[in-house]
């Protein structure tokens, strides 16, 4: 037997034969061959000459189409990866030159359109990289070929191919970010535009004459209409991207006039001859009409001033409005609603949207852009020079006077409401067939309105009403009053009028008695059963959501009853769309500031029950999340009143969690609800820990697959639980281990992890202090990698909190223990290194002055940690300074304490917060407890200045002229004074208050603290005379007098 042994891919040499053979196998149906050949092609990517060889295969017309097509794809992808000069294994300069030299000719002569398209993409990508520096003549060469191809007698294929190449070149260059590329395109645009314009006009005249002569279906006419469409596609992009100020160029002005005339002529042609036209001809003409409308729309969006100032643009906008009015005659139906069945007028293929609808949508968008030009000019115009400002003013004036007249504004409002707000048969069919998808699409946010006539009409209506309140309010209300009665059964018309009233709520808020309308009209209408009344129920839910956000004083319990009614699944008129809409809009009812929980409580059980059932019923994840957002808002706004309904909510969440699977956005919504629920329930939330803590664990552990998607929301939930937990449990403490990996990675979640750490210190100080070495080691690494103000501030606050917690639990001995840990973890050394750097920098002056590694706020935070240590146990603080390993900042205790006190006193005046300033005063004064050491008393003048400053700032006297009496304003005598009255508070808030009131800064009068230690120091020095002789004599007399006037001694 003979065996065919295929060499491994990497051993095949690159030559024309092996390349063709490999491409042939790669385009076969044998998966094994495809896989091997694809690997071989990937191996050749780094071979010199590979991409020029691919081009050689592509231009060889005798090869199979599949092989040539695959070679073009490989070449196009290779240009993306290896054409840049900076790319690894970049294509050589010589190979680039060879590829460039052949691509234009091969593209022009390519008979197959699919291959021609790929070649055009290749040329466009190369142009993006090479033009104008390395391929400066590409556009002029294309223009030259365009002239030749448009001459009589030339090959008809050549014109189509060169137009295709030019189209993709302009596409690529128009999206270029570099100003150089855009400027080069704009410099070449006039010449190209002129040649291209002649081609377009000539071809349009040719096929239009043929159509009028009755020969529109012949080959030459079809070729001409195809070429005119392709030329127009290029012209559209060139007009927008190729001219910075299109209105200032004569050729653009002429083409603009031509485009308007052609639009009118072609629309007339389609109306008169459309049914009798050859199908391909009709299809191509319709596409030209759509392209013209795209040109007009893009001009007003990208160059609003140019649009307004181009010839007859206001008339063009009016022409689009007339087209819209004509289209509106058949857009919707105001007749009674009957059930639609497949095969009736409600059945149509969405993909076959008629050209009239496409053009009408573009016209509506164009008119809205004109309205934004007039009503929101600051958001529309971008100008740099004086001439631009003049053009802006001219544009606004022109549109105001020529387009938006009072009569046309009124006509626009009436037409928009009565024609384009009305549902079409197709809309009602989709409502019935795909309620979930239809509702989601109607609720669409962002720029979805740009793809829907009704949504765009709503936007334009709102612009007109807001900016023409006096003109439009009365006519709108007149129509409303004639329609808004329960006896009127014109449901679709009523729906459109109610839609207008809802949208205009901010304008009509003071003009319409909505409370009366609610009670006399909406309540009776919502109870009517019959065909089509589900449409009205949906609209009523939306209108209520729109009005309750702007109108105060409405009967909210009545509104809650309405939503209870609309969410009732047993009512046949409440189909899925009605109930989902009500569920969404309930959020807008609950969210306003006016909402209070007490009136809502009687309706909460049923509303929440029906909402949760609806969430399980709907299928689309987006809809589920929107409804969960409503639940989230209800829980948040009800605050602690949600407690009785918590179990009802939680009973549904586990099944939703399991149903979500890998729909992590859904799980994020559930975690968000749980966070809000924890916050609302306060300390009552502890009974839910058994269910929630495992969710947190599975979402935050490093090995979890869901960690990437759920970590942020899980951290929020974890933080909320800690804030609301009254006392630590083993399950809560077990989660602490998950914090340490978060310290190691500087991510966006680090801040939240540090906040959680703070909550743990407050909740369980003893267990956290047992692991203080691990925490402080992590903080040491974080301070080294995050020297910036925000991160350093949070970390030093946590260190300070650990010191405070140790002091509260064990007094000075506990301070000594944590000082030892600070030494062992090198955190104390790191703080001192940063402070020494600042001190050294502050000793420099002049042009060579050094800048410290930490700014003033960070230095205050570092010194505050030292202040807590010194105040809590001065002896262990100084022993720690003496025990520091030798370094530039700590060569000996005497040198360390000397520069540290010098920097500390020097920095004191930069401390802004009074409580922080008092803390530092206490810490420096507490060092006197160690005895009258010269290293401190030689700073007596500065120390007395600190005392004078802090006492003057903190102490208030009943009589400004006397220093008798007085009180320290930072001493708080009533710990419960800040407790919120008549409402539960989070347990952590109570813990923070306890910690705050245990602080000596808020318990001890600064004068008593200073007096006691100063008197002991005087006695230790041998009495008043010895103290005066040895230390006080060196203090400035003014400093002594200022301190003496305080009456401390």
């Amino acid at each position: 037997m003979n065996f065919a042994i295929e060499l491994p891919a990497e051993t095949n040499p690159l030559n024309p034969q092996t390349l063709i053979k490999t491409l042939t196998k790669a385009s076969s149906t044998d998966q094994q061959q495809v896989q091997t050949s694809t690997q071989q092609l990937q191996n050749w990517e780094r071979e010199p000459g590979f991409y020029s060889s691919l081009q050689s295969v592509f231009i060889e017309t005798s090869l199979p189409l599949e092989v040539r097509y695959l070679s073009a794809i490989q070449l196009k992808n290779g240009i993306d990866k290896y054409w840049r000069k900076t790319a690894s294994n970049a294509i050589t300069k010589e190979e680039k030159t060879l590829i460039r030299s052949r691509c234009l000719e091969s593209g022009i002569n390519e008979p197959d359109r699919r291959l021609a398209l790929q070649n055009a993409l290749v040329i466009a990508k190369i142009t993006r990289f090479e033009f104008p520096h390395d391929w400066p003549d590409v556009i002029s060469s294309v223009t030259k070929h365009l002239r030749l191809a448009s001459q009589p007698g030339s090959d008809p294929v050549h014109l189509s191919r060169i137009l295709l190449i030019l189209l993709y070149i302009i596409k690529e260059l128009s999206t270029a970010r570099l100003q150089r590329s855009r400027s080069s395109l704009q410099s070449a645009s006039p010449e190209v535009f002129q040649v291209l314009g002649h081609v377009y006009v000539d071809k349009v005249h040719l096929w239009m004459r043929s159509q009028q002569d009755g020969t529109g279906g012949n080959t030459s006419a079809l070729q001409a209409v195809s070429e005119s469409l392709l030329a127009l596609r290029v012209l559209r992009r060139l007009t927008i991207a190729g001219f910075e100020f299109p209105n200032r160029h004569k050729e653009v002005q002429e083409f603009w006039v031509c485009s308007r005339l052609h639009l009118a002529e072609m629309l007339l042609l389609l109306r008169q001859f459309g049914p009798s036209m050859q199908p391909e001809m009709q299809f191509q003409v319709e596409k030209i009409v759509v392209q013209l409308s795209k040109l007009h729309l893009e001009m007003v969006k990208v160059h609003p001033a140019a649009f307004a100032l181009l010839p007859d643009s206001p008339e063009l906008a009016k022409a689009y409005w007339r087209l819209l009015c004509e289209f509106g005659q058949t857009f919707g139906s105001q007749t009674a609603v009957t059930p639609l069945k497949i095969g009736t007028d409600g059945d149509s293929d969405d993909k076959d949207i008629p050209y009239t609808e496409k053009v009408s949508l573009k016209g509506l968008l164009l008119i809205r852009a004109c309205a934004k030009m007039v009503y929101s000019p600051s958001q529309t115009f971008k100008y740099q020079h004086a001439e631009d400002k003049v053009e802006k003013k001219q544009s606004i004036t022109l549109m105001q006077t020529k387009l938006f007249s009072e009569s046309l504004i009124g006509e626009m409002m009436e037409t928009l409401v009565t024609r384009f707000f009305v549902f079409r048969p197709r809309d009602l069919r989709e409502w019935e067939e795909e309620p979930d998808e239809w509702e989601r699409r109607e609720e669409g946010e962002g720029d979805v309105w740009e793809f829907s006539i009704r949504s765009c009409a709503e936007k334009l209506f709102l612009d007109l009403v807001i900016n023409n309140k006096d003109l439009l309010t009365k006519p709108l209300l007149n129509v409303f009053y004639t329609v808004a009665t329960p006896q009127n059964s014109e449901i679709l018309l009523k729906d459109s009028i109610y839609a207008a009233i809802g949208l205009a709520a901010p304008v009509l808020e003071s003009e319409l008695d909505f409370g009366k309308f609610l009670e006399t009209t909406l309540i009776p209408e919502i109870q009517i059963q019959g065909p089509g009344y589900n449409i009205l129920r949906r609209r009523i839910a939306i209108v209520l959501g729109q009005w309750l956000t702007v109108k105060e004083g409405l009967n909210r319990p009545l509104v809650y009853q309405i939503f209870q009614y609309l969410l009732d699944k047993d009512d046949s008129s409440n189909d899925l769309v009605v109930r989902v809409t009500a569920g969404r809009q309930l959020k807008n009812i609950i969210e306003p500031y006016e909402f209070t929980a007490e009136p809502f409580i009687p309706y909460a059980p049923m509303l929440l029950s029906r909402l949760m059932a609806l969430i399980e019923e709907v299928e689309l994840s987006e809809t589920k999340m929107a409804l969960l957002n409503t639940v989230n808002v209800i829980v948040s706004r009800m605050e602690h009143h949600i407690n009785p309904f918590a179990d009802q909510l939680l009973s549904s969440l586990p099944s939703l969690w399991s149903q979500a699977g890998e729909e992590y956005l859904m799980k994020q919504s559930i975690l968000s609800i749980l966070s809000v629920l924890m916050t609302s329930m306060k300390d009552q939330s502890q009974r839910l820990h058994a269910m929630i803590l495992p969710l947190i664990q599975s979402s935050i552990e490093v090995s979890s697959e869901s960690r990437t998607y759920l970590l942020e929301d899980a951290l929020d939930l974890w933080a909320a639980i800690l804030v609301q937990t009254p006392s630590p449990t083993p399950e809560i403490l077990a989660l602490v281990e998950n914090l340490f990996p978060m310290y190691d990675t500087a991510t966006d979640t680090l801040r939240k992890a540090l906040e959680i750490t703070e909550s743990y210190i407050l909740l369980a100080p003893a267990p956290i202090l047992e692991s203080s070495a691990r925490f402080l080691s992590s903080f040491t690494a974080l301070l080294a990698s995050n020297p910036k103000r925000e991160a350093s501030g949070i970390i030093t606050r946590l260190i300070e909190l650990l010191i405070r917690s140790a002091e509260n639990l064990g007094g000075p001995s506990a301070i000594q223990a944590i000082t030892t840990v600070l030494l062992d973890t090198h955190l104390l050394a790191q703080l001192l290194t940063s402070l020494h750097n600042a001190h050294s920098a502050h000793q420099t002056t002049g042009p060579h002055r050094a800048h410290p590694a930490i700014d003033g706020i960070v230095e205050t935070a570092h010194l505050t940690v030292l202040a807590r240590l010194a105040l809590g146990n001065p002896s262990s603080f100084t022993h720690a300074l003496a025990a520091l390993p030798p370094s530039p900042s700590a060569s000996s205790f005497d040198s360390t304490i000397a520069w540290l006190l010098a920097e500390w006193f020097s920095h004191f005046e930069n401390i802004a917060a009074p409580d922080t300033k008092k803390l530092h005063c206490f810490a420096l004064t507490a060092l006197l407890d160690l005895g009258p050491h010269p290293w401190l008393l030689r700073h007596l003048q500065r120390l007395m200045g600190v005392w004078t400053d802090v006492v003057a700032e903190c102490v208030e006297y009943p009589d400004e002229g006397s220093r008798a009496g007085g009180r320290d304003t930072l001493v708080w005598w009533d710990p419960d004074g800040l407790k919120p009255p008549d409402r539960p508070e989070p347990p952590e808030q109570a813990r923070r208050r306890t910690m705050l009131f245990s602080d000596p800064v808020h318990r001890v009068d600064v004068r008593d603290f200073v007096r006691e230690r100063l008197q002991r120091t005087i006695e230790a020095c041998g009495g008043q005379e010895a103290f005066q002789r040895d230390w006080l004599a060196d203090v400035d007399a003014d400093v002594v007098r200022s301190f003496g006037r305080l009456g401390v001694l």
Side-chain angles (χ1 to χ4, degrees), residues 199-311:
V199 171
Y200 165 74
V201 171
D202 290 345
K203 296 301 176 182
V204 168
H205 287 169
L206 176 61
W207 66 258
M208 287 190 80
R209 277 198 308 270
S210 298
Q211 188 61 43
Q212 291 163 358
D213 295 343
T215 59
N218 61 39
T219 303
S220 61
L222 288 173
Q223 178 75 21
V225 75
S226 175
E227 290 168 346
S228 64
L229 173 60
L230 196 50
L232 178 59
R233 291 175 65 192
V234 185
L235 280 168
R236 174 169 69 84
R237 288 173 172 82
L238 192 60
T239 305
I240 303 303
F243 299 91
E244 187 174 4
F245 302 101
N247 59 299
R248 301 177 190 176
H249 294 263
K250 184 179 179 181
E251 57 268 34
V252 177
Q253 296 172 9
E254 292 172 350
F255 173 64
W256 188 255
V257 173
C258 179
S259 72
R260 181 186 165 216
L261 294 175
H262 282 180
L263 180 65
E265 291 172 1
M266 292 179 197
L267 286 171
L268 181 61
L269 186 71
L270 287 168
R271 289 193 195 99
Q272 291 179 345
F273 301 104
S276 62
M277 290 173 73
Q278 199 264 2
E280 180 62 22
M281 173 66 76
Q282 180 183 359
F283 177 69
Q284 295 284 359
V285 175
E286 289 176 356
K287 291 182 74 172
I288 292 176
V289 169
V290 173
Q291 284 293 319
L292 288 170
S293 65
K294 284 184 177 181
L295 166 68
H296 300 150
L297 176 60
E298 287 175 6
M299 182 63 76
V300 74
K301 290 172 70 175
V302 180
H303 301 290
F307 172 85
L309 297 175
L310 280 166

Side-chain angles (χ1 to χ4, degrees), residues 429-439 441 577:
R429 173 180 60 83
E430 291 172 352
W431 180 327
E432 294 292 333
E433 291 179 358
E434 299 177 341
D436 249 18
E437 187 63 39
W438 185 90
E439 190 279 335
R441 191 166 59 247
V577 171

Side-chain angles (χ1 to χ4, degrees), residues 301-322:
K301 290 172 70 175
V302 180
H303 301 290
F307 172 85
L309 297 175
L310 280 166
D312 297 328
S313 286
E315 290 302 317
L316 176 65
K318 289 181 180 179
Y320 273 110
W321 178 249
R322 289 192 293 271

Side-chain angles (χ1 to χ4, degrees), residues 513-563:
D513 187 348
F514 189 80
K516 181 180 178 182
F517 170 58
L518 171 65
E519 296 177 5
T520 61
T521 305
L522 295 186
I523 292 295
E525 284 184 338
I526 210 168
Q527 300 176 66
I528 300 174
Q529 299 285 345
Y533 275 91
N534 55 338
I535 296 173
L536 207 54
R537 291 189 178 191
R538 170 186 175 272
R539 180 58 60 190
I540 289 172
I542 295 173
V543 169
L544 288 173
Q546 291 166 324
W547 271 86
L548 264 76
T549 58
V550 299
K551 184 74 172 178
E552 296 182 0
L554 294 175
N555 188 342
R556 282 185 164 270
L558 189 59
V559 175
Y560 303 148
Q561 290 180 52
I562 291 175
F563 277 85

